[in-house]
Amino acid sequence: MPLDTDRLAPAVLHGMANAIRALSMDAVEAANSGHPGMPMGMADVATVLWSEYLKHDPAAPDWADRDRFVLSAGHGSMLIYSLLHLSGYARPTLEDVRNFRQLGSPCAGHPENFLLDGVECTTGPLGQGLAMAVGMAIAERHLNAGFGDDLVDHRTWVIAGDGCLMEGINHEAIGLAGHLKLGRLNVLWDDNRITIDGSTDLSTSEDIEGRYAATGWHTVRCDGHDAVDIRRALDEALADPRPSLVACRTVIGKGAPNKQGTSATHGSPLGKDEVAAARATLGWDHPAFEIPKDIRDNWRASAARGVLLRSEWEHRLATHSEKAEFERRMRGDLPESFDLASLAQEFAAAPQKVATRKASEMVLDRINPALPETIGGSADLTGSNNTKAGGIGPLTAENYGGRYIYYGIREFGMSAAMNGMALHGGVIPYGGTFLVFTDYCRPAIRLSALQETRVIYVMTHDSIGLGEDGPTHQPIEHVQSLRMIPNLLVMRPADLVETTECWEIALREKTRPTVLALTRQNLPQVRHEASENLSAKGAYRLKAAAAARKVIMIATGSEVSLAMDCAAQLEANGIGADVVSMVCTQLFDEQDADYRADILPDVQPEEILRVSIEAGTTFGWDRYTMTNGLRFGIDRFGASAPADQLFQKFGLTADTIVPQIISKLNG
Ligand SMILES: Cc1ncc(C[n+]2csc(CCOP(=O)(O)OP(=O)(O)O)c2C)c(N)n1
Ligand SMILES: [Mg+2]
């Protein structure tokens, strides 16, 4: 809670808030695009929050114990750019702000975590910022349980709009936060009763505070343009042990005399005349992008509290017995001693027939005791995803030190929370559901990839091989469609050894998320040698042709052993066949040209026929088979039946595939 000496006079705060309004309307005007309404409406709330409550030091944006600030209403990006600039962060500079929304400026249309320090997460897809903040708040409490108040003792603040509260994910996110009693999470709702289409009356009549209260939240209301009232509400929020929703009644576009309070200010420049009128209304007679010295000084001075708090924290860290471990965790480095290669070798030496979901559990049995930073979980499919392993216990409101989260049936909420945890740092989240429900997670998976977070998605039941649950549960297009997302590794291991290799790759990828697509059904072990992590090459030759090579079989996951069976039959017919396990297309595409050409030589199909097998869509496989190759897969929805009958029905057996290859070879 701020000291009385931190309290600034309302007139001072008013000038500081008007600097946000001026920068926001002028930057949007210069770009001729953007959203002035939200920053102008929330300027007063944001000024009180940043100058009196938020714990931050502009000189140390990555200070581990800073408060996290999330602008969930990402369209109001000029709000955070103004706040960062005015309070003295190195970037954005005034030039950066002038170039709002232009190529090369870190002031992108929506805030991007990889472009500016102080932007904790990428926001714009409404609702996800708040849901990520839940993950940040979980990570904070979890690390606090491990390292104590001296090192970890901060809050998570969110500014969210009507849209963030209306999105379905809001329900999942606040349900989880309320259940876990994340009292250090405070959401400041820009309650302006306006969205793009007009008044919120058009589309909602919900009792939002009632909904939050029912979910275990504390709620409080304030006049979002009255500093004293804002403080009262924030003080109440801080004092309450529950997560808090602070409903800030505001006027969108506040200060623009003819347009304020209407959706006209939401997402368009105010226009020259209205900007001039706003200047007159606000008493702001400075030219565009000029901030008077006294206001700039007030903003800079407001950061002094954070500077002091950081230096005190640095002193505590310097003498802390856990300093090295804490710093390692926050850097995201794995312990020097961590290594799964020996485990892969153990598995290679003693073959087992297991489902890859089970294989994943066996690997996690080794990972979790060795890596205290992992936080596992599942969206109510723990026993199916095999995610609880290695002796980790539940993370609950009573024990934040636990390492396993029962997310409930909240796939999207889980995925967004994992992004928040990874962005917070100090933890490596992994979580599971059925692969088919990556559709429910997908907007967050996309943000994992965009934000470069190390999140590991453990997605089981990865094909018709799941059997009787039928077409609603059988992924068809999922693996291939996930492969289209840039900066996402999609891995479909074929056995226990490959599963071990994939986990090792995923854990070592600091800036890329991974989807592990794992089987429900048991698979024979295809790898008997593990001196090198071959999965790291994305694809490798599992078996070389014995007879003169005429065919290259390319398969993934459960179809690799099928490809081996096909190859054996081909060889019996005197046709040499390589088998390539394509564990991860993205990693294969990154190999050098020589390696790729060695695995998939660039020759005509008359010389070598390329054949793909994957129990999902064949769409896109011509990338590896070439158009003249053969592609075996499933281009319709599945069916409900035992798995082996389904593989028969969809023609994914050696007896069906081999004759087609031979006939193609015979032209
Ligand atoms: C998931 C998602 N859907 C739609 C949009 C497009 N969009 C951006 S802002 C907005 C309206 C948001 O209303 P509100 O949160 O009340 O913001 P305000 O108009 O008050 O600034 C919409 C529909 C989006 N960014 N994300
Ligand atoms: Mg609104």
Side-chain angles (χ1 to χ4, degrees):
M1 203 167 293
L3 306 172
D4 279 346
T5 48
D6 293 329
R7 309 286 203 194
L8 299 170
V12 171
L13 289 167
H14 190 64
M16 292 165 75
N18 280 347
I20 295 174
R21 293 192 169 93
L23 280 179
S24 300
M25 68 181 182
D26 289 336
V28 170
E29 209 61 24
N32 198 24
S33 88
H35 303 75
M38 187 270 171
M40 294 178 79
M42 280 299 274
D44 299 309
V45 172
T47 300
V48 173
L49 173 65
W50 273 57
S51 61
E52 299 183 4
Y53 290 81
L54 187 75
K55 179 169 79 165
H56 72 129
D57 178 355
D62 57 0
W63 167 29
D65 199 32
R66 69 190 182 281
D67 283 357
R68 303 305 196 263
F69 172 75
V70 173
L71 184 68
S72 191
H75 57 280
S77 57
M78 267 313 302
L79 180 64
I80 191 165
Y81 301 149
S82 304
L83 291 164
L84 293 171
H85 173 70
L86 291 166
S87 54
Y89 285 70
R91 301 291 286 273
T93 62
L94 201 53
E95 198 54 25
D96 294 334
V97 174
R98 272 179 195 276
N99 287 319
F100 176 52
R101 293 185 157 235
Q102 306 310 304
L103 205 57
S105 171
C107 298
H110 292 83
E112 306 285 6
N113 70 310
F114 50 91
L115 290 181
L116 275 178
D117 287 336
V119 173
E120 302 286 356
C121 58
T122 289
T123 52
L126 297 175
Q128 282 205 63
L130 197 163
M132 287 189 275
V134 171
M136 292 178 192
I138 293 171
E140 191 273 343
R141 280 297 87 188
H142 177 73
L143 291 168
N144 173 273
F147 292 97
D149 288 346
D150 276 356
L151 296 188
V152 186
D153 184 14
H154 53 269
R155 296 180 191 281
T156 305
W157 301 93
V158 179
I159 287 184
D162 300 302
C164 293
L165 271 52
M166 227 183 263
E167 291 287 353
I169 191 175
N170 187 260
H171 176 67
E172 299 183 21
I174 70 166
L176 191 58
H179 179 68
L180 291 176
K181 301 191 168 75
L182 300 174
R184 286 162 168 264
L185 175 63
N186 296 303
V187 174
L188 280 51
W189 165 31
D190 179 15
D191 177 20
N192 61 19
R193 297 191 279 191
I194 290 290
T195 66
I196 294 178
D197 279 354
S199 165
T200 49
D201 289 350
L202 292 169
S203 57
T204 182
S205 39
E206 178 177 301
D207 172 5
I208 290 177
E209 287 144 281
R211 176 165 64 88
Y212 272 68
T215 313
W217 283 57
H218 157 250
T219 69
V220 58
R221 200 156 251 295
C222 68
D223 175 344
H225 300 300
D226 175 344
V228 174
D229 205 40
I230 295 167
R231 281 184 192 133
R232 176 195 52 79
L234 293 182
D235 287 346
E236 194 184 308
L238 291 191
D240 196 284
R242 293 165 293 180
S244 289
L245 176 74
V246 182
C248 308
R249 176 52 54 81
T250 62
V251 176
I252 190 170
K254 170 90 172 164
N258 306 302
K259 293 191 173 177
Q260 67 179 21
T262 74
S263 59
T265 65
H266 164 90
S268 321
L270 296 178
K272 203 158 78 32
D273 295 346
E274 184 70 0
V275 167
R279 281 195 145 68
T281 304
L282 297 170
W284 187 268
D285 48 14
H286 318 286
F289 303 111
E290 262 188 48
I291 309 294
K293 184 170 178 314
D294 59 328
I295 290 180
R296 205 174 264 288
D297 288 348
N298 289 334
W299 267 112
R300 294 291 167 97
S302 75
R305 194 172 39 93
V307 176
L308 181 69
L309 290 172
R310 180 174 74 98
S311 79
E312 289 170 1
W313 181 87
E314 297 282 359
H315 281 104
R316 292 198 297 276
L317 176 67
T319 54
H320 201 284
S321 58
E322 299 246 51
K323 176 175 190 289
E325 175 65 1
F326 181 75
E327 290 183 327
R328 177 190 76 74
R329 294 274 297 268
M330 291 309 295
R331 275 198 312 273
D333 292 343
L334 302 184
E336 295 275 327
S337 57
F338 181 73
D339 167 36
L340 290 178
S342 55
L343 184 64
Q345 280 165 20
E346 275 171 43
F347 287 152
Q352 303 179 53
K353 188 172 181 183
V354 291
T356 47
R357 63 178 171 140
K358 176 68 184 167
S360 171
E361 180 186 336
M362 292 162 73
V363 182
L364 281 168
D365 272 332
R366 185 69 66 97
I367 291 171
N368 283 338
L371 295 184
E373 54 266 54
T374 55
I375 295 186
S378 166
D380 202 45
L381 288 169
T382 297
S384 300
N385 302 143
N386 300 55
T387 33
K388 193 165 183 294
I392 56 176
L395 187 160
T396 63
E398 291 69 43
N399 178 20
Y400 290 121
R403 291 171 54 196
Y404 192 79
I405 301 181
Y406 290 106
Y407 286 102
I409 306 92
R410 300 186 180 103
E411 295 81 8
F412 190 8
M414 169 178 76
S415 306
M418 291 201 291
N419 276 333
M421 285 185 233
L423 288 161
H424 180 283
V427 296
I428 302 177
Y430 70 86
T433 181
F434 289 148
L435 180 67
V436 81
F437 301 134
T438 51
D439 285 342
Y440 280 46
C441 309
R442 196 175 173 102
I445 296 177
R446 185 171 196 269
L447 279 196
S448 305
L450 177 60
Q451 297 182 101
E452 305 178 349
T453 57
R454 175 169 40 186
V455 172
I456 302 169
Y457 295 92
V458 181
M459 300 306 196
T460 68
H461 298 57
D462 71 348
S463 76
I464 53 159
L466 67 86
E468 295 82 348
D469 270 346
T472 55
H473 282 52
Q474 292 163 353
I476 295 294
E477 72 280 23
H478 298 78
V479 171
Q480 196 64 306
S481 78
L482 289 163
R483 288 185 181 123
M484 294 190 294
I485 299 180
N487 200 47
L488 174 69
L489 297 182
V490 181
M491 301 189 184
R492 192 159 184 258
D495 70 359
L496 186 51
V497 173
E498 282 193 3
T499 304
T500 311
E501 292 176 339
C502 288
W503 263 108
E504 172 130 44
I505 297 162
L507 288 165
R508 291 195 189 284
E509 282 282 347
K510 276 183 158 183
T511 58
R512 275 201 281 205
T514 298
V515 171
L516 297 173
L518 305 172
T519 64
R520 172 181 185 235
Q521 74 276 26
N522 286 339
L523 303 179
Q525 191 158 325
V526 293
R527 275 280 292 286
H528 304 288
E529 197 275 328
S531 57
E532 185 189 351
N533 186 331
L534 294 172
S535 301
K537 301 217 182 267
Y540 65 92
R541 191 176 296 116
L542 175 65
K543 168 206 171 297
R549 180 170 66 179
K550 286 284 172 202
V551 175
I552 300 177
M553 309 287 307
I554 311 163
T556 75
S558 46
E559 285 66 68
V560 173
S561 60
L562 170 58
M564 290 291 275
D565 293 346
C566 294
Q569 287 195 18
L570 290 167
E571 298 276 3
N573 284 282
I575 301 165
D578 282 359
V579 174
V580 170
S581 177
M582 182 71 84
V583 190
C584 175
T585 58
Q586 293 89 345
L587 289 175
F588 179 65
D589 292 347
E590 286 170 16
Q591 302 306 307
D592 62 36
D594 286 351
Y595 182 79
R596 282 182 285 123
D598 177 49
I599 301 300
L600 298 178
D602 200 5
V603 296
Q604 292 305 308
E606 300 81 65
E607 292 174 61
I608 301 177
L609 177 68
R610 297 190 196 172
V611 179
S612 69
I613 318 180
E614 184 169 72
T617 180
T618 62
F619 184 95
W621 268 103
D622 49 348
R623 183 181 176 93
Y624 300 105
T625 63
M626 305 190 288
T627 37
N628 286 323
L630 286 178
R631 292 163 288 280
F632 295 94
I634 307 169
D635 292 310
R636 48 156 284 182
F637 292 116
S640 173
D644 49 350
Q645 290 177 29
L646 292 174
F647 279 96
Q648 296 274 351
K649 173 177 171 53
F650 292 112
L652 296 179
T653 63
D655 290 344
T656 332
I657 290 172
V658 170
Q660 294 179 66
I661 293 173
I662 292 175
S663 134
K664 175 86 176 176
L665 287 173
N666 294 337

